[in-house]
Amino acid sequence: MGVLRPPHPPKRVPLIGDIIGLDPVKPMQNTARILGEIGPIYQRRILGMRLTFLGGADIAAEVNDDATWQKAVPRPLQLLRPIAEDGLFTAYNDEPNWHKAHAILAPAFTQSSMRSYHDTMAQVVDEMCSAWDGASGDVDVAAEMTKLALETIGRCGFGYRFDSFGRREVDPFLPALKDMLEYIQAQGVPVPGRKVVDALTGRTRQHQRNVDYMFKVVDDVIADRQTNPHDEPRDLLDLMLTTKDPETGDQLDARNVRNQILTFLVAGHETTASALSFALYLLATHPDEAAKARAEVDELWSTGAAVRFEEVAKLRTVRRVIDETMRLWPTSPGYFREAKQDTVLDGRYPFKQGEWLMVVLQQVHRDPAVWGDDADQFRPDRFQSDEVRARPGHGYKPFGTGLRACIGRQFAYHEMILALATILHRYDFAADPGYTLDVAEQMTLKPAGFRLSITRRAGADASAPAPAT
Ligand code: MNH
């Protein structure tokens, strides 16, 4: 008997393979749609290369098992390696710097460490609201959330101010980053002659300028801290520059510190910003859910007093809105896993050691076997604890899985709950009735072109600004 292969999309081209039906603009949404049609697994074979996608909760659970499978860093992630090298996100599993950096930085991301970031996070949200109050009643959601999240990780992580809300133009770091990601993503689609065209049109040079600029920002951040060190470690940068790995006694070397800072600036803002943007879209289009969340916030902050650290954990309704948002629109649309040894998936499909596949979260998160027939509906009450307990845990993985899961999860929750609660408390908002959801893909998913009209609510003060640090 021949080896059993997972189903493939229709219209296989002889010799070349499954090239029909690729979508270079919205590849993840296209892949999710095909999984919806074919089933929980399918495989594209292109010129002998095999690309496998999983979209069912049960089959994903198998590859989430760290005993048999592990994070893979295949070509799409390797494209980021020239920028982030062995930073946490792009490190190979066996690179010693992953273990070192993970051991040194994990303490900065526990729930209790969030206390030290809280005032700064609240301050940034407050600056955003002040900017909104001074402008007309219509905001570009993705752009505003991007500024918020970049400013938050910049200040909390590295004491670096992009001054996102104090000036008209965005910091040059943002367009450089966006252009860099676009360039890198384009390299992932094989187009003959691109190298030549990119060189002739100046695209390659422009990319190099972007990279140089981003490196310069990071090197300035490091130099500034080395000139003005803190007495005690206060943020990620302090930990990186001063802490010794408990196992080896080593500190992170200078090059690795730069890799980590770039990694955190990128990984720490896009996904959070996009999740917040989707949450605002879903609330604006589900006024009943917005009213429920707003009522919770109003009750807690009836006095208009400052948002305290302890109160963020009490915003259970707001948290459920965020969880349900990331279920429907996982802004990190998937993750890669590779077999640690020869193995068989789903009792029938053999995978060789090192063979990799992608878990497509948008499909796993809508698997009717876990989420029921209304899986496409926005219903935050799914995350009430009784419903959560009644469900298997493997149907929901917005932060990835296992050893290499997101280190910034608590940070992202704290930031997102605080921001969403403050916006709900301070503004009534509505979506443009003519807007239909357009989900753009630039490594992450985000709602494109979505604007929100906002009206300041009577008597709703912003969170009181934290003392300047
Ligand atoms: Mn984050 C890894 C999603 C916010 C820093 N993050 C991951 C992975 C997912 C993910 C999925 C696993 C990728 C993989 O398996 O290849 N992250 C998110 C989402 C949000 C998010 C959906 C917000 C919402 N991430 C953040 C924030 C930070 C951060 C905020 C930093 C402050 N994430 C990381 C880092 C890794 C990571 C660093 C790599 C961890 C590792 O491999 O050790």
Side-chain angles (χ1 to χ4, degrees), residues 48-188:
M49 203 171 47
R50 287 199 282 268
L51 304 169
T52 312
F53 301 95
L54 303 189
D58 279 346
I59 200 165
E62 273 188 53
V63 305
N64 288 347
D65 179 2
D66 273 339
T68 333
W69 295 78
Q70 61 185 356
K71 167 163 170 153
V73 184
R75 184 155 160 81
L77 289 189
Q78 280 168 19
L79 292 166
L80 288 166
R81 290 271 311 187
I83 315 293
E85 299 182 340
D86 60 357
L88 277 175
F89 182 68
T90 39
Y92 298 112
N93 294 306
D94 55 5
E95 275 178 303
N97 274 347
W98 181 81
H99 290 274
K100 251 187 230 178
H102 182 80
I104 289 174
L105 293 171
F109 288 102
T110 59
Q111 172 59 39
S112 60
S113 314
M114 295 308 126
R115 188 181 289 277
S116 61
Y117 307 124
H118 175 83
D119 286 353
T120 308
M121 286 185 181
Q123 170 82 35
V124 174
V125 178
D126 197 60
E127 285 172 27
M128 180 182 74
C129 291
S130 300
W132 288 8
D133 290 341
S136 59
D138 187 31
V139 297
D140 176 337
V141 173
E144 291 301 306
M145 296 305 119
T146 301
K147 287 193 277 183
L148 176 85
L150 183 67
E151 195 67 36
T152 301
I153 183 64
R155 282 197 216 172
C156 293
F158 315 104
Y160 184 79
R161 288 168 180 265
F162 291 96
D163 194 19
S164 301
F165 300 107
R167 51 170 157 175
R168 278 202 85 74
E169 332 74 50
V170 298
D171 190 278
F173 189 86
L174 274 176
L177 172 65
K178 183 166 186 281
D179 198 59
M180 179 202 82
L181 290 177
E182 262 165 33
Y183 179 87
I184 286 178
Q185 205 168 27
Q187 308 305 302

Side-chain angles (χ1 to χ4, degrees), residues 71 88-89 98 153 264 267-268 271-272 335 398-400 404-407:
K71 167 163 170 153
L88 277 175
F89 182 68
W98 181 81
I153 183 64
F264 277 101
T271 43
T272 308
Y335 52 86
F399 292 99
R404 300 293 301 270
C406 181
I407 200 173

Side-chain angles (χ1 to χ4, degrees), residues 151-468:
E151 195 67 36
T152 301
I153 183 64
R155 282 197 216 172
C156 293
F158 315 104
Y160 184 79
R161 288 168 180 265
F162 291 96
D163 194 19
S164 301
F165 300 107
R167 51 170 157 175
R168 278 202 85 74
E169 332 74 50
V170 298
D171 190 278
F173 189 86
L174 274 176
L177 172 65
K178 183 166 186 281
D179 198 59
M180 179 202 82
L181 290 177
E182 262 165 33
Y183 179 87
I184 286 178
Q185 205 168 27
Q187 308 305 302
V189 188
V191 175
R194 164 165 23 235
K195 269 213 169 90
V196 179
V197 173
D198 281 354
L200 289 176
T201 56
R203 190 75 185 85
T204 314
R205 241 174 307 124
Q206 189 190 336
H207 175 66
Q208 200 48 53
R209 272 201 304 274
N210 290 334
V211 173
D212 291 346
Y213 178 75
M214 293 174 61
F215 281 166
K216 186 184 165 317
V217 169
V218 171
D219 290 341
D220 286 352
V221 168
I222 300 173
D224 185 55
R225 181 62 53 86
Q226 277 164 340
T227 334
N228 309 297
H230 295 148
D231 303 338
E232 271 178 47
R234 267 192 237 160
D235 58 16
L236 296 180
L237 185 54
D238 290 332
L239 286 177
M240 289 188 219
L241 293 174
T242 61
T243 313
K244 292 192 168 77
D245 169 21
E247 209 170 296
T248 59
D250 294 345
Q251 278 178 229
L252 299 181
D253 62 77
R255 191 173 178 113
N256 189 256
V257 170
R258 181 208 250 185
N259 296 338
Q260 303 298 359
I261 295 178
L262 262 180
T263 297
F264 277 101
L265 285 177
V266 178
H269 94 276
E270 274 266 319
T271 43
T272 308
S274 300
L276 273 172
S277 302
F278 277 116
L280 285 169
Y281 166 78
L282 287 164
L283 286 178
T285 49
H286 297 81
D288 44 336
E289 296 295 346
K292 257 165 53 184
R294 186 174 278 122
E296 175 184 75
V297 182
D298 283 353
E299 189 179 341
L300 200 66
W301 295 338
S302 55
T303 59
V307 189
R308 287 183 303 120
F309 171 77
E310 293 77 13
E311 288 168 338
V312 173
K314 293 187 185 153
L315 293 164
R316 307 307 301 176
T317 315
V318 178
R319 161 80 185 234
R320 286 194 287 275
V321 165
I322 287 165
D323 279 334
E324 176 71 341
T325 298
M326 290 190 296
R327 182 183 71 82
L328 285 171
W329 294 109
T331 55
S332 213
Y335 52 86
F336 302 101
R337 303 285 287 171
E338 69 185 4
K340 287 167 84 169
Q341 67 224 24
D342 293 0
T343 183
V344 174
L345 184 59
D346 199 21
R348 42 193 158 157
Y349 306 122
F351 277 78
K352 287 230 174 323
Q353 179 182 16
E355 257 191 281
W356 59 271
L357 46 71
M358 184 183 201
V359 176
V360 179
L361 287 174
Q362 200 186 318
Q363 277 307 109
V364 173
H365 287 180
R366 297 179 191 223
D367 186 338
V370 174
W371 301 99
D373 295 335
D374 67 347
D376 288 336
Q377 300 299 311
F378 176 65
R379 190 171 66 77
D381 279 342
R382 278 181 224 280
F383 287 89
Q384 292 278 8
S385 45
D386 51 339
E387 288 199 39
V388 173
R389 272 196 301 272
R391 259 194 319 260
H394 56 256
Y396 189 65
K397 294 280 175 192
F399 292 99
T401 193
L403 218 52
R404 300 293 301 270
C406 181
I407 200 173
R409 182 170 174 269
Q410 298 293 350
F411 188 96
Y413 271 122
H414 200 86
E415 176 182 358
M416 291 191 289
I417 294 172
L418 187 55
L420 204 54
T422 308
I423 294 168
L424 281 163
H425 189 53
R426 185 142 154 159
Y427 303 101
D428 285 312
F429 51 73
D432 170 0
Y435 179 76
T436 33
L437 183 60
D438 176 22
V439 176
E441 302 190 16
Q442 284 155 359
M443 305 266 175
T444 63
L445 306 183
K446 68 173 75 176
F450 175 55
R451 300 188 71 89
L452 200 61
S453 65
I454 51 170
T455 325
R456 183 82 190 257
R457 294 170 73 214
D461 289 325
S463 55

